[in-house]
Each structure stands twice: as C-alpha cells, then as structure tokens.
Amino acid sequence: MDKLLIRGGTPLSGEIAISGAKNAALPILCASLLCTEPLRLTNVPQLKDVSTMLRLIEQMGVRVTREGPDSLVLDSRGLDNPLAPYDLVKTMRASILVLGPLLARCAEARVSLPGGCAIGARPVEQHIRGLQAMGAEIQVEHGYIQARAPGGVRRGLQGACMVTDMVTVTGTENLMMAAVLAEGETVIENAAREPEVVDLANCLISMGAQISGAGTDKIRIRGVDSLHGAEHAIMADRIETGTYLCATAVTGGSVRLTHTSAAYLDAVIDKLLDAGCEITTEREAISLKAPPRLKAVSIRTSPYPAFPTDMQAQFMAINCVAEGSAVIRETIFENRFMHAVELIRLGADIRIDASNAMVTGVDRLDGATVMATDLRASASLVIAGLVARGETLIDRIYHLDRGYERIEAKLSQLGAQVTRVR
C-alpha cells in the first residue's frame, strides 16, 4: 500500500484550485440511472470513490464516456442489470445510493448491504422505511436488499409523506431520487439540508424533475413520467476547502484557494477566525493568512448548517499546537476519535472521554510513523505532519485517495515537502 512521507516545518504559500465535491458527485452519478438520455457532468473529481461508483453503474449497463480530466457523459439507455454486488459495495457505503434510482427506473433492485464502517454505525433503515412508504416491497436476505415495486414499471412507486427518524444525507438523497418518477407528490420531512443535497436536487431539476424545498428540512417532489438528458457542473468540495484552510493555518502560511466558495463554510470559517486567522472571501475564492500561533477553539459537530463532522479531525490537529485547551464534541459518529491515538504518537496532548476530546496545545509535534483509519482521520494526520518536526510517514493512505484529488501534488504546489512512497 502507498504511504505519504511528509517533512514538516514549511509554511504553506501560494494558490491552488479546489476540486469537485465527492459527496455531491456520488449521488449525481447515481441520478444518471433515472433517464434514458445522456447526462453530461463537469467538475467531476478524480477520486477512488468516484471510480468505484463508475464501475458499479457500468456493470449495470451504463456507458461511461470521459471527455476530459473532469468531464463525463453517462448514458444509461442500456441499463439491464439492477444489481449492486457485495464486492463493489463493501468498499464504499455510498453505493446504497443506487437503490432509489433503480427502483424508480426498473421497479426492482438487488443491492448488497454496505456492512461495517470504521467511524460507526450508518444504518440504512431510513432508506428502507421511506421506500416502503412509497409502496416498495423490500426483503433483506443473504446480505442483500431485495426490492421491487408491486405494480412493476407500469405502475411504479407512489408518492408518500414521510418523516425520517434521524437526519440522514444519503437517506434524503435516495428517497428524493426515487420520488422524482413516483406517481403523485412525495414530502420528506426532517430532510438533510446539506449543500450536496441541494446540488443533487439542482441536477435532477435540470433533468426535468419537480422539486422544491431542497436546503430546508422539508422537501416536496412531484413525480413526472420521465426525465431527460442534461448538463450539470458538480459543486466545489467544501470539505477539501476546509482541509486546506486548516493545513495553511497550522503551518503559519498564507494561501488562496480558487474554484470554491465560502457560502457553505460559515461554521468552519467562524472557527478559523476565532483561532486568529485572517480570511478574505471572493465570489469563487477564499484566502487565509495564519497568525504567529493559533488559539485553541472548541467545536461541537452537528448536521448542516452547524459544524460538520467531516471537519472535526482537521480541527483536532490544529488544536494540538494551538495556544490553550479546547473541547471537541462529536455527536454524529460514535467512533470518530480514532485519529487521536495517532496524533498522540506525534506528541499531542489529547484526552478522550466518551464523545468528548480535550485537546491541550503543545509547543511542537515530532514526526513519527502513523496509520490512517478513515478518510478524514487521514487528513488530520497530514495536517499534523505538515507542522511536526522531522519526518512523518502516514500508512494506509488509500483512505486519502477516496476523497482528496492529488493531495501530494496540491500540497507540493504550496511549498510542502510531501512524497508518495509506493
């Protein structure tokens, strides 16, 4: 497995472009299953998760044509195999997002259960209950979700009103995609408000769907007979943006990030301002200048628009060398402090108590060999390695490749000493 070797101590400086959002691209790739005309997508990030999703829909009969590094055309006229096998689903939980579109388009689907997740439980019950409310008959047998619409393609799913027991992003997206071809109106209450949900809704609307309320906790979808081809640009990755802002802050650097927006980063930017950073925003760019030493900031993760769980690990890393102490409370996933043990190997002062972490800043971190346990944990170790004295070797960086496009190239562009060890 590849490793990342980082020699710390260099302030980041310069300008880089942010890639398209992984968490927007994955459901939008699945949206291509809903119509028989081509869907052209731009600003598609080159990530392991994206290539896995493309393999998954290709084996269903979707033809994928790459027009450029970040441009794809998806043609699902030949869709003939509504199956998501375990060998693909096990590597990426977002594969569950094919369930709703397949049911809507084919009136049947066989999708492997995703299995375990390193950062905690991500139950699919909300997806299943919502689809059952729309008339789907669902059984879970031999590790697979077997679903069908009782009336077949002719009758399909029926609109319904549903209230999810918990806020779930992929659940909201799955049900929204299923509802666009259902008969009548569907109302999803307690819906996820994340920008990636809005981006999916915008793509579906460009394909002819009738959706209102995306970005609020109540989404209305009026089903249509069919969708048509369209063109859509994937939104910028707000988590990648936040990660590079944290990396700049911790190294005492100054950078400008382009092809991105501060519009969806209020909670993250507020905390960076509290830490002492200077931030300037433009329509499609963000600049950050770090102070001589950061101030520790406490955070509490919650669904959007509050502080995102996907930025928790990065802020733990910057708090490790900040002035003072801070409490980090994780409310979304129960096992999302696994990076703390690895940060302690670098010299961090962190104490864990259930869902709370007390971080006290130290004068310096020292490079060591550490192991990534999940995607965002990997990012926290990169950030810590950039400020640590000496060399840090990060193992299992396949996690990084799932969500960060060319991370070593972008960091090198900003002056960091980062090398991929194959």
Side-chain angles (χ1 to χ4, degrees):
M1 291 182 286
D2 289 2
K3 298 175 172 55
L4 209 62
L5 180 65
I6 303 174
R7 177 169 288 278
T10 304
L12 298 188
S13 177
E15 178 177 301
I16 57 171
I18 296 299
S19 303
K22 173 182 83 80
N23 290 337
L26 297 179
I28 289 173
L29 292 176
C30 296
S32 68
L33 300 170
L34 289 164
C35 74
T36 59
E37 297 181 7
L39 175 63
R40 184 172 185 269
L41 301 175
T42 57
N43 203 34
V44 181
Q46 298 180 56
L47 302 170
K48 181 64 176 175
D49 275 9
V50 169
S51 63
T52 299
M53 185 65 82
L54 289 173
R55 286 171 55 207
L56 178 60
I57 63 175
E58 278 184 303
Q59 65 87 37
M60 295 177 183
V62 177
R63 187 174 68 186
V64 178
T65 304
R66 187 172 290 279
E67 293 189 333
D70 66 351
S71 179
L72 298 171
V73 177
L74 308 175
D75 186 344
S76 68
R77 280 177 293 182
L79 178 64
D80 59 2
N81 183 33
L83 166 69
Y86 174 70
D87 62 337
L88 288 175
V89 174
K90 70 179 179 181
T91 65
M92 184 183 64
R93 293 189 58 89
S95 303
I96 192 69
L97 286 165
V98 302
L99 179 59
L102 288 177
L103 256 180
R105 166 87 178 274
C106 306
E108 62 175 324
R110 188 167 183 260
V111 179
S112 172
L113 287 169
C117 178
I119 60 175
R122 298 192 187 187
V124 299
E125 284 87 350
Q126 303 303 310
H127 305 240
I128 293 174
R129 289 175 186 170
L131 292 171
Q132 287 174 329
M134 298 169 69
E137 295 178 352
I138 298 179
Q139 294 180 323
V140 179
E141 296 178 338
H142 309 295
Y144 277 81
I145 301 170
Q146 311 227 34
R148 71 182 188 93
V153 176
R154 179 183 57 81
R155 184 166 179 267
L157 299 173
Q158 305 295 304
C161 294
M162 58 193 77
V163 182
T164 59
D165 293 340
M166 57 185 288
V167 177
T168 162
V169 175
T170 54
T172 299
E173 292 167 338
N174 231 340
L175 298 177
M176 187 163 61
M177 286 190 283
V180 295
L181 294 180
E183 182 178 338
E185 184 177 76
T186 298
V187 179
I188 306 172
E189 297 203 49
N190 199 29
R193 301 163 59 186
E194 271 71 3
E196 295 79 10
V197 174
V198 178
D199 203 37
L200 171 62
N202 289 337
C203 178
L204 292 170
I205 291 169
S206 71
M207 297 166 68
Q210 297 184 18
I211 302 172
S212 62
T216 74
D217 60 1
K218 186 174 184 177
I219 301 176
R220 292 182 180 273
I221 307 105
R222 179 161 291 281
V224 296
D225 292 336
S226 63
L227 298 181
H228 53 71
E231 182 172 334
H232 181 78
I234 306 295
M235 67 175 285
D237 195 319
R238 62 192 174 104
I239 305 303
E240 184 192 21
T241 303
T243 299
Y244 283 110
L245 291 175
C246 286
T248 304
V250 81
T251 62
S254 176
V255 303
R256 182 172 181 264
L257 307 179
T258 63
H259 296 83
T260 188
S261 170
Y264 307 124
L265 279 169
D266 286 349
V268 170
I269 287 175
D270 284 348
K271 290 299 181 180
L272 287 169
L273 290 171
D274 290 345
C277 298
E278 295 179 18
I279 296 178
T280 304
T281 62
E282 305 168 51
R283 183 176 178 182
E284 293 186 353
I286 304 174
S287 299
L288 180 143
K289 182 178 180 181
R293 188 178 185 187
L294 297 168
K295 299 176 183 176
V297 289
S298 295
I299 61 172
R300 179 183 187 275
T301 66
S302 288
Y304 187 85
F307 192 91
T309 181
D310 280 353
M311 285 300 303
Q312 175 257 106
Q314 296 90 315
F315 268 78
M316 181 178 288
I318 69 174
N319 277 335
C320 287
V321 291
E323 181 182 354
S325 298
V327 176
I328 296 176
R329 185 177 182 194
E330 174 60 54
T331 71
I332 308 296
F333 295 115
E334 65 271 21
N335 296 331
R336 207 161 200 181
F337 283 151
M338 291 186 290
H339 47 279
V341 177
E342 302 302 309
L343 291 171
I344 290 170
R345 284 181 52 78
L346 300 175
D349 182 352
I350 305 172
R351 286 170 289 164
I352 305 295
D353 179 14
S355 60
N356 297 309
M358 171 67 79
V359 186
T360 300
V362 297
D363 290 336
R364 72 162 192 260
L365 299 177
D366 290 310
T369 298
V370 291
M371 182 178 67
T373 53
D374 62 72
L375 172 55
R376 305 309 172 185
S378 306
S380 76
L381 298 179
V382 171
I383 291 170
L386 290 171
V387 75
R389 185 178 65 172
E391 292 185 345
T392 298
L393 185 65
I394 305 175
D395 200 357
R396 293 189 179 179
I397 63 164
Y398 59 84
H399 291 294
L400 273 175
D401 295 333
R402 290 183 48 230
Y404 291 93
E405 181 178 329
R406 302 184 305 110
I407 188 168
E408 68 272 26
K410 290 187 178 183
L411 286 172
S412 297
Q413 190 176 333
L414 296 175
Q417 298 183 55
V418 181
T419 306
R420 181 177 290 257
V421 181
R422 298 191 181 277

